[in-house]
Amino acid sequence: MSKRKQHHPEFKAKVALEVLKGEETVSELASRFGVHPTMIHQWKGALLEGASGVFERGGRQAAEVDEEQVKDLHAEIGELAVANDFLARKLKTLDRQVRCKMIEPNLPGLSVSKQCALLSISRSSVYYEPKGESQMNLDPMRQMTWQLRNGDYLVNEKRIRRLMRLMGFIPIYQKPNTSKAAKGHKIYPYLLRGLRVDRPNQVWCADITYLPMRRGFLYLVAIMDWHTRKVLAWRISNTLEAGFCVDALNEAIHKFGPPEIMNTDHGSQFTSFVWTDRLRRSSVRISMDEKGRFLDNIFVERLWRSLKYECVYLHAWDTGSDAKAGVRKWIEFYNHKRTHSALGGKPPAVIYWQRNETTTPDQQVQRVA
């Protein structure tokens, strides 16, 4: 039985910080760092949970120290850090095989693990000699499973998936279950049946969709005013935690004030405590679609269709920054310039401010800006 690979805390922190940047999808990060996507999700959560501890102040009293000795030690540490950084940068320019030959297994006082860290190589590379792929695997690598079977290759989908992952090939297809419910979360009733929605901020709705990238997916959440179809706030994330949804909700409430009712589907992000607690603290009534009825949130579904056919499918974004810039440009166009048949040929933002009788002109100018 193979021993489970152990990752250093520094490596975990590096991967988690890359996830928080939002520039790459989880699939891309998993391929680049050679770890499973589930581990990336766990490391991101651990980083977010432990971040507050950095700023906590303990009640311990500092021990008395020799200031001169501390100053000398700091100077020595600084010199060693500069020297270590200089050597590390120079060593990285050497081929990995050359760096592997520099390892001295029996060197006293400096373990193989420490030597590997100083040379920026993995410890396993010192002991393991890669066998490479057999010619039988290399020949059918660019073929699909059914084509290979027709050609008398004994393969299955898992083997093809492994070989495609080895080459960095990821198919683009719709990500399933962006609205997957969580067990134990409270499901609220649907409040919009028979309700006449005739003014802004009476009902808001929210939903999540996927954004296909060159490799993998990003996820987009939008908060929309039901009556005017105006997109009030949005966020993009490379993971499906509830945090980026709450960030969009906070922005919408801050800019436009809370609605009377918020309607969503049963997705775990919208049934989570952080989401529902934020709504309850703002005295917002919570409404959720009935199971299997996507038409209960039809206006957001229509928004996704327009966004993807008019923007997303016309581009193949490489980074999260590219995706955010493209989505931001399209939503600005949608809110302020794109005509809407249900609004008499006017853009959603125009109708929102015309019919929002509770907002003064000065506030309208400030919020639009």
Side-chain angles (χ1 to χ4, degrees):
M1 181 180 294
S2 61
K3 186 176 180 180
R4 185 174 181 180
K5 187 175 181 181
Q6 300 292 327
H7 297 284
H8 292 289
E10 294 83 358
F11 175 78
K12 297 179 181 180
K14 179 180 179 181
V15 176
L17 288 173
E18 289 293 328
V19 180
L20 292 178
K21 289 180 182 179
E23 293 296 323
E24 299 178 77
T25 65
V26 173
S27 298
E28 290 175 318
L29 293 173
S31 177
R32 177 151 72 95
F33 290 104
V35 297
H36 196 274
T38 301
M39 300 178 71
I40 295 180
H41 287 279
Q42 294 174 351
W43 295 345
K44 176 186 176 183
L47 178 62
L48 293 176
E49 290 176 3
S52 60
V54 177
F55 304 98
E56 292 180 356
R57 296 184 178 179
R60 301 177 181 176
Q61 294 182 352
E64 294 184 1
V65 294
D66 187 345
E67 295 295 335
E68 290 298 327
Q69 184 181 10
V70 170
K71 187 180 297 185
D72 293 338
L73 290 174
H74 282 173
E76 184 177 353
I77 291 172
E79 293 176 358
L80 291 174
V82 172
N84 185 64
D85 180 69
F86 172 80
L87 290 175
R89 286 188 285 108
K90 295 299 181 182
L91 288 171
K92 284 183 179 179
T93 61
L94 300 178
D95 184 78
R96 186 175 63 87
Q97 297 298 331
V98 176
R99 285 178 281 157
C100 286
K101 293 179 180 179
M102 295 180 180
I103 298 294
E104 298 182 21
N106 299 321
L107 182 64
L110 195 61
S111 65
V112 173
S113 298
K114 185 61 177 178
Q115 294 181 54
C116 291
L118 293 171
L119 294 172
S120 300
I121 57 177
S122 62
R123 188 165 62 98
S124 61
S125 62
V126 178
Y127 305 105
Y128 177 72
E129 295 182 2
K131 298 179 181 179
E133 292 291 342
S134 66
Q135 189 62 37
M136 181 179 179
N137 281 344
L138 294 174
D139 290 339
M141 193 171 279
R142 295 184 180 276
Q143 304 297 319
M144 301 301 291
T145 304
W146 63 269
Q147 293 175 319
L148 295 173
R149 288 173 177 170
N150 290 340
D152 295 330
Y153 286 98
L154 298 177
V155 296
N156 58 21
E157 293 182 2
K158 291 188 291 185
R159 180 177 175 189
I160 298 302
R161 190 182 302 116
R162 178 178 64 85
L163 296 175
M164 291 179 66
R165 185 170 59 250
L166 182 65
M167 295 186 295
F169 289 165
I170 297 179
I172 296 179
Y173 55 90
Q174 183 172 354
K175 191 73 174 180
N177 289 336
T178 56
S179 301
K180 188 175 181 180
K183 293 183 179 179
H185 286 187
K186 180 179 178 180
I187 303 300
Y188 290 80
Y190 184 62
L191 304 178
L192 305 187
R193 188 176 306 281
L195 177 67
R196 178 180 176 84
V197 182
D198 54 6
R199 60 186 182 277
N201 291 350
Q202 180 183 1
V203 177
W204 287 0
C205 50
D207 196 18
I208 300 174
T209 191
Y210 73 99
L211 298 177
M213 306 288 286
R214 285 192 183 275
R215 296 182 61 193
F217 298 89
L218 295 178
Y219 303 97
L220 169 66
V221 62
I223 312 291
M224 173 187 276
D225 180 69
W226 188 281
H227 177 61
T228 63
R229 319 292 200 268
K230 174 179 167 62
V231 178
L232 306 174
W234 58 276
R235 285 290 188 280
I236 288 178
S237 173
N238 50 12
T239 56
L240 276 173
E241 285 86 6
F244 78 114
C245 301
V246 177
D247 290 342
L249 177 62
N250 288 334
E251 178 186 340
I253 293 177
H254 175 73
K255 288 184 175 180
F256 306 100
E260 299 175 21
I261 299 175
M262 168 63 79
N263 186 75
T264 64
D265 58 26
H266 294 179
S268 59
Q269 300 81 11
F270 303 128
T271 58
S272 65
F273 173 79
V274 289
W275 174 271
T276 56
D277 180 65
R278 181 66 179 91
L279 293 173
R280 288 194 298 265
R281 285 189 289 110
S282 300
S283 301
V284 179
R285 300 168 64 197
I286 302 174
S287 170
M288 293 184 178
D289 303 341
E290 294 180 350
K291 188 174 182 179
R293 287 187 53 85
F294 72 95
L295 291 177
D296 289 344
N297 218 4
I298 187 61
F299 296 134
V300 182
E301 301 294 342
R302 288 179 178 175
L303 172 72
W304 295 151
R305 178 178 178 181
S306 299
L307 169 66
K308 291 183 178 180
Y309 279 95
E310 297 177 14
C311 177
V312 176
Y313 293 156
L314 302 181
H315 304 87
W317 294 312
D318 292 309
T319 65
S321 297
D322 294 339
K324 291 174 184 177
V327 172
R328 180 181 294 107
K329 182 178 180 181
W330 185 87
I331 289 181
E332 286 292 322
F333 164 76
Y334 169 87
N335 276 339
H336 298 281
K337 295 182 179 180
R338 191 181 187 276
T339 58
H340 203 297
S341 58
L343 303 176
K346 295 182 179 181
V350 173
I351 301 300
Y352 180 88
W353 295 118
Q354 284 180 351
R355 299 182 183 177
N356 193 348
E357 299 176 353
T358 62
T359 305
T360 64
D362 291 339
Q363 291 174 323
Q364 293 183 13
V365 173
Q366 182 180 3
R367 289 174 177 174
V368 170

